C-alpha cells in the first residue's frame, strides 16, 4: 500500500517514509546474507538487521500513536485505511523477524560445528604440550586444573543452595496460599449455609403470610354474610326462612296490639 494512496498528515508521512526505508534496507540486507560465505560476516550482518527491526518496531508504535491522536480529525474511511496500512506494516515486520530466526538457527548449527572442530584441535595441542612438559610442570598443571574444578564445584554448590532456598520459600508461600484458600472455602460454605437458612426462613414467612391472608379472607366473607342476614332480617322481618339472630330483638308490635294487650288491674278484680 503506497503512501500516496492514503491521505496522511506530514508527521505520519515522515514516520511512514522512515519505515519504508527500513523495509528496503532489511530486504537488501537479507539478500546480502545469502551471498556471504563467512559465518562471522553473516552473524554481524544479522545483528545489524536486528537493530533495524527494533527501530522499525519503534517507528510503527510511533505511527500508531500519531494515528490515535489524529483519529478524531480524520474520517472513518481514512482511519480504516490507515489502520489497514499499520497492520500491513506489522505483518511485513513479522515476516522479517521470522526470516531472522531462520538465519539465526542456521548460523547456530554452523557455529556448533566450528566449535567442535576447534575443541578437537585444542585437545591435540594439549597433548603436544603435555608431552613437552616436565613432571613438575605436569603436577603444577594438574593442581591448577584441580583448583579450577574445586572452584567450579563450589560455585555449583552455591547455585544448588540458592535453588534449594528459593524452593523452600516457594513451598512456604504455596502452603500459606493453600491455607488461605481453605479458609476462603470454609467462609464460602458458611455464607452458602446462611443463604440457605435465610431462604428457608423467607419461604416460611411467605407461607405464614399466605395463611394469614386466607384466614382474613374467610373472616371477611363471614362478616359480609352476617351483615347481609341482618339487613335482610330488618328489611323483611316476616321472612320465616331466616331464623332470628341471637342478641337481635324482634321488631316491636303495632300500637293497636299494644292497646289490646294492656289490662286494667282493678277491672280484673
Amino acid at each position: 500500500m503506497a503512501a500516496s494512496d492514503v491521505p496522511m498528515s506530514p508527521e505520519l508521512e515522515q514516520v511512514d517514509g522512515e519505515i519504508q526505508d527500513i523495509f528496503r534496507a532489511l530486504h537488501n540486507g537479507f539478500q546480502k546474507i545469502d551471498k556471504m560465505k563467512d559465518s562471522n560476516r553473516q552473524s554481524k550482518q544479522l545483528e545489524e538487521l536486528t537493530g533495524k527491526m527494533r527501530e522499525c518496531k519503534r517507528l510503527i508504535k510511533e505511527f500508531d500513536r500519531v494515528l490515535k491522536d489524529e483519529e478524531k480529525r480524520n474520517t472513518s474511511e481514512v482511519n480504516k485505511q490507515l489502520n489497514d496500512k499499520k497492520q500491513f506494516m506489522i505483518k511485513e515486520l513479522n515476516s522479517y523477524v521470522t526470516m531472522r530466526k531462520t538465519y539465526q538457527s542456521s548460523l547456530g548449527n554452523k557455529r556448533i560445528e566450528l566449535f567442535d572442530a576447534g575443541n578437537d584441535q585444542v585437545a591435540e595441542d594439549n597433548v603436544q604440550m603435555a608431552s613437552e612438559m616436565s613432571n613438575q610442570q605436569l603436577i603444577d598443571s594438574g593442581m591448577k586444573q584441580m583448583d579450577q574444578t574445586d572452584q567450579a564445584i563450589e560455585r555449583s554448590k552455591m547455585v544448588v543452595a540458592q535453588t534449594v532456598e528459593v524452593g523452600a520459600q516457594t513451598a512456604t508461600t504455596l502452603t500459606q496460599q493453600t491455607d488461605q484458600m481453605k479458609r476462603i472455602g470454609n467462609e464460602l460454605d458458611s455464607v452458602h449455609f446462611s443463604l440457605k437458612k435465610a431462604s428457608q426462613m423467607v419461604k416460611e414467612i411467605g407461607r405464614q403470610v399466605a395463611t394469614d391472608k386466607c384466614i382474613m379472607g374467610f373472616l371477611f366473607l363471614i362478616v359480609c354474610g352476617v351483615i347481609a342476614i341482618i339487613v335482610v332480617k330488618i328489611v323483611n322481618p316476616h321472612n320465616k326462612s331466616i331464623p332470628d339472630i341471637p342478641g337481635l330483638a324482634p321488631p316491636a308490635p303495632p300500637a293497636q296490639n299494644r292497646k289490646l294487650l294492656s289490662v286494667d288491674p282493678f277491672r280484673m278484680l
Side-chain angles (χ1 to χ4, degrees), residues 25-162:
L26 290 173
H27 179 73
N28 296 330
F30 280 109
Q31 285 184 344
K32 289 180 181 180
I33 291 179
D34 292 333
K35 297 177 182 179
M36 292 178 182
K37 303 299 181 182
D38 188 5
S39 60
N40 292 328
R41 291 180 59 192
Q42 288 179 342
S43 178
K44 187 176 180 180
Q45 179 71 14
L46 197 60
E47 290 177 0
E48 293 179 0
L49 295 177
T50 302
K52 291 184 181 296
M53 290 179 197
R54 294 194 186 98
E55 179 65 16
C56 185
K57 182 178 180 181
R58 185 190 67 79
L59 289 173
I60 291 175
K61 288 183 179 179
E62 180 68 15
F63 185 91
D64 183 61
R65 183 189 65 78
V66 177
L67 177 60
K68 289 181 180 178
D69 293 339
E70 299 178 356
E71 188 174 6
K72 294 181 179 179
R73 297 194 295 269
N74 297 330
T75 62
S76 59
E77 182 63 25
V78 172
N79 288 328
K80 181 178 182 303
Q81 292 178 356
L82 291 174
N83 282 311
D84 292 342
K85 184 176 183 63
K86 182 189 70 173
Q87 295 297 328
F88 179 79
M89 291 188 294
I90 292 173
K91 290 180 181 179
E92 189 170 356
L93 178 60
N94 288 334
S95 66
Y96 285 118
V97 171
T98 303
M99 195 180 300
R100 178 184 65 86
K101 292 180 180 179
T102 303
Y103 279 99
Q104 273 186 335
S105 177
S106 177
L107 288 175
N109 293 332
K110 290 181 180 179
R111 285 187 175 184
I112 290 173
E113 294 175 358
L114 291 174
F115 289 154
D116 291 341
N119 290 334
D120 293 339
Q121 185 64 33
V122 170
E124 292 178 0
D125 293 341
N126 289 335
V127 170
Q128 293 178 358
M129 289 176 63
S131 62
E132 297 175 356
M133 294 170 65
S134 63
N135 292 334
Q136 185 62 37
Q137 290 175 342
L138 288 173
I139 293 172
D140 293 339
S141 178
M143 294 295 294
K144 184 178 179 180
Q145 291 182 0
M146 289 176 64
D147 292 338
Q148 293 176 354
T149 304
D150 291 338
Q151 292 175 3
I153 292 173
E154 291 297 328
R155 289 194 297 269
S156 300
K157 287 182 178 180
M158 292 177 61
V159 172
V160 171
Q162 292 175 358

Side-chain angles (χ1 to χ4, degrees), residues 151-220:
Q151 292 175 3
I153 292 173
E154 291 297 328
R155 289 194 297 269
S156 300
K157 287 182 178 180
M158 292 177 61
V159 172
V160 171
Q162 292 175 358
T163 305
V164 171
E165 184 178 357
V166 172
Q169 293 177 357
T170 304
T172 303
T173 304
L174 288 175
T175 302
Q176 293 175 355
Q177 291 179 353
T178 302
D179 295 337
Q180 185 177 3
M181 292 297 293
K182 288 181 180 180
R183 288 194 297 270
I184 293 173
N186 294 332
E187 292 177 359
L188 289 176
D189 291 338
S190 300
V191 171
H192 179 70
F193 177 77
S194 300
L195 290 175
K196 188 176 181 180
K197 191 71 175 178
S199 177
Q200 292 178 354
M201 292 178 65
V202 168
K203 289 180 180 179
E204 292 178 359
I205 293 172
R207 286 196 292 268
Q208 291 178 0
V209 169
T211 303
D212 294 342
K213 288 184 179 179
C214 291
I215 293 173
M216 292 296 294
F218 285 129
L219 290 176
F220 178 76

